[in-house]
Amino acid sequence: MTTTPASPAPGQDETSAPRRATRAAGLIPTDPVLRLASLLTLVNALGNGLYFPLGVLYFTRVVGLDATAVGLGLTVAGLTGVAASVPAGRAADRWGARRVGSLLWGGTAVATTGYVLVDSYAGFLLAVVCATGLQTASRGVQGAIYADVLPAATRVESRAYLRMVVNVGMGIGGVFGAVALQLDTRAAYVTVILVNAVTFAGPALLLPRLPLAPHAAGRKAPAANAPAAERWRAVRDLPFLTVTVLNSVLVVQYSLSEVGLPLWIVERTEAPRWTAALLMIVNCALVVLLQVRVARRASEIPAAVRAMRWAGLLLAVSCAVFAVSAGLSPVWAVAALTAGAVVQVLAEVLSAAGGWTLGYGLADARAHGVYQGVFGAGMSAGMMAGPALVTVTAIAHGSVGWAVLGVLFAGAGFAVAPAVRWARRDGDWRGEAA
C-alpha cells in the first residue's frame, strides 16, 4: 500500500489530505511527527506500567503508611489534578501546549523522585499531590499538544495509534513491575520509582521538538487581556460541557476491568481468581488490534455520535453478561466473563474514538488548551468516580446493580446525539474551521 504523507502537499488544504497516518497493518506510523510522539508515549507508558503494580505497596509495605490513609491521599491528589486541568489548559493556550506540557511532565518527574524521600504521611501527601496532580493536569494539555502537532485529517487515527502504544508499553512495563514486586525489597521499589521518574523527564525534554502542524502555526489563542468570556469559553460552553459529562459517564467503564471485575470474580462468582488477569490480557490485546481500525471509521462527528451510541448499548450488554456469570459453574463463569469482556472492549474502543472526535470537533480551535483541559478533567473525574460507583452498584447489589450501570451507560450513549446537535446549533466557530 502506498504510504500517505503526514502533511498536505504545498497548496493542499489539510482537511483534504488523505486520511491515513499508519500503514495497512496499523503498526508503523507514516507521519514522522507521530513516530516521535509514539516514542515519547512508549517511554512514558513503560514507566507507568512498571510503577502501577507496586506504587501503593511501596507506601504501605516500605514506608509503613496505613492503606486507608494512602487511598485518601491518592483521592485528594486526583481531585487536585482535576481542579488544575482547566487552568493548565488555559496556560497551554497562553504560552504554548508543548512548553506547558514539558513543564508539567518535568514537574511530575521531580515530584515522583520525591517518593524515595518520603518517611511520613505529610511527606507522602505533599509528594503524591504534586506528582498525581501534575500528571492528571497534563492529560488535557496532551490533547492540546496533539491538536497542535497532528494534522486534523488524521488526528483521531493518530490518537488511536498512541493509545495502542500506551497499551503495549504498559504491558511490557507491567512484566518488569511484577518482577520487582516479587523481589519485594526497598531497593527494587526505589529502582522502579526512579526509572518511572526518568520516563517523565526524558519525554519532557523532547516534547518541545514536536513541530507544529500548518493549521496551528498561525493560530492565535485569545489574548491575556481578552474578555474572560472569550478566554474561558470552554467552562461556559454548556453544550460542550454536556458532551463532556456524557463522555465521563462512559469513561466509568474503565473501572469495570480495573476494579469491578476483580472484586466481582472473587466475591460473587465461582470463576478462579486468575480470570481477572485473563480478562485484562484480553482487553489489552483487543485494544491493540482494534483501536486504530475503529478510529478510522469514527473520525467525523456523525460517525462519532453513532460510535458513542453503540458504545453505550454494548456496555449495557456487557453488564448483563457479567451479572449472569454469578450463577454459573467455574468453566461457564469464565466463558461468560470472557464474552462480557470482549463486548466491553468493543464499547471501549468505540467510545474512545468517538470521544476524541467530539472533543476536538466541538471545541473552539483557537482555545484547544482550555477545551481539552475541560474534556480531560471530565475524563479524570469519571475515572475517579468509577471505582466507588461500580462498588456501590454491581458489587454491593449484584444483578440489580449491574442493571443500574447498564441503564446509565445506555442512557449516556443515546444522549450524546441531542447534545451534539445542540452544540452544532450553538455556533459556527467550532472545530478547525474557526
Side-chain angles (χ1 to χ4, degrees):
M1 183 180 204
T2 303
T3 57
T4 301
S7 302
Q12 180 183 21
D13 183 84
E14 192 174 290
T15 58
S16 65
R19 301 191 176 196
R20 276 296 163 89
T22 58
R23 298 183 191 275
L27 298 177
I28 305 174
T30 60
D31 184 344
V33 177
L34 180 57
R35 283 199 292 270
L36 178 55
S38 300
L39 175 62
L40 304 185
T41 300
L42 178 62
V43 171
N44 186 246
L46 283 168
N48 286 333
L50 184 65
Y51 174 76
F52 281 169
L54 47 79
V56 173
L57 293 178
Y58 168 74
F59 292 114
T60 56
R61 292 178 61 79
V62 176
V63 180
L65 301 178
D66 176 71
T68 303
V70 169
L72 177 61
L74 292 172
T75 300
V76 171
L79 289 171
T80 302
V82 171
S85 294
V86 178
R90 172 54 190 159
D93 286 335
R94 183 73 180 89
W95 292 292
R98 294 170 301 168
R99 180 183 302 174
V100 173
S102 179
L103 290 173
L104 289 173
W105 270 11
T108 303
V110 173
T112 300
T113 303
Y115 287 171
V116 304
L117 304 176
V118 171
D119 60 2
S120 65
Y121 188 70
F124 158 74
L125 202 58
L126 176 63
V128 79
V129 165
C130 290
T132 305
L134 289 169
Q135 185 180 4
T136 303
S138 72
R139 289 173 183 160
V141 175
Q142 288 178 51
I145 292 171
Y146 298 142
D148 284 349
V149 305
L150 298 173
T154 58
R155 186 184 297 145
V156 172
E157 179 187 338
S158 298
R159 289 293 304 267
Y161 182 83
L162 292 172
R163 185 165 188 258
M164 181 184 75
V165 171
V166 167
N167 275 266
V168 172
M170 291 279 290
I172 296 173
V175 172
F176 291 98
V179 173
L181 194 60
Q182 184 64 31
L183 292 174
D184 196 30
T185 64
R186 179 181 178 85
Y189 286 107
V190 168
T191 299
V192 166
I193 290 170
L194 294 178
V195 170
N196 188 36
V198 170
T199 65
F200 280 102
L205 295 175
L206 295 175
L207 201 56
R209 296 192 179 187
L210 290 171
L212 290 175
H215 71 269
R219 187 172 66 211
K220 293 184 179 180
N225 59 355
E230 182 179 351
R231 287 183 284 118
W232 299 94
R233 173 179 276 174
V235 298
R236 302 163 61 92
D237 187 344
L238 292 181
F240 186 83
L241 291 175
T242 301
V243 174
T244 297
V245 170
L246 294 174
N247 183 68
S248 71
V249 172
L250 294 177
V251 163
V252 170
Q253 68 179 290
Y254 297 122
S255 297
L256 292 182
S257 55
E258 295 172 7
V259 177
L261 286 179
L263 290 173
W264 178 256
I265 289 167
V266 172
E267 296 183 10
R268 295 283 194 142
T269 77
E270 298 297 322
R273 295 187 178 186
W274 52 257
T275 307
L278 171 66
L279 300 187
M280 186 64 71
I281 293 170
V282 168
N283 181 283
C284 290
L286 288 178
V287 168
V288 170
L289 290 173
L290 298 176
Q291 188 65 82
V292 173
R293 292 171 172 81
V294 171
R296 287 173 180 162
R297 298 176 179 272
S299 59
E300 301 290 341
I301 288 180
V305 170
R306 291 192 295 271
M308 299 293 266
R309 183 188 303 124
W310 274 108
L313 284 172
L314 289 173
L315 285 171
V317 171
S318 69
C319 288
V321 176
F322 292 144
V324 169
S325 66
L328 302 177
S329 66
V331 172
W332 284 107
V334 171
L337 289 164
T338 303
V342 170
V343 175
Q344 187 262 322
V345 79
L346 293 176
E348 181 180 327
V349 295
L350 283 166
S351 64
W356 294 324
T357 298
L358 297 179
Y360 288 123
L362 300 179
D364 184 344
R366 298 166 300 181
H368 264 304
V370 175
Y371 271 86
Q372 300 314 313
V374 167
F375 205 72
M379 293 187 65
S380 297
M383 287 187 283
M384 284 184 58
L389 183 59
V390 172
T391 301
V392 301
T393 54
I395 306 304
H397 299 286
S399 297
V400 174
W402 282 115
V404 170
L405 284 176
V407 170
L408 182 66
F409 288 136
F414 274 96
V416 168
V420 169
R421 285 196 295 270
W422 180 21
R424 300 186 84 177
R425 287 197 305 267
D426 189 57
D428 57 6
W429 45 265
R430 300 180 185 276
E432 296 302 330

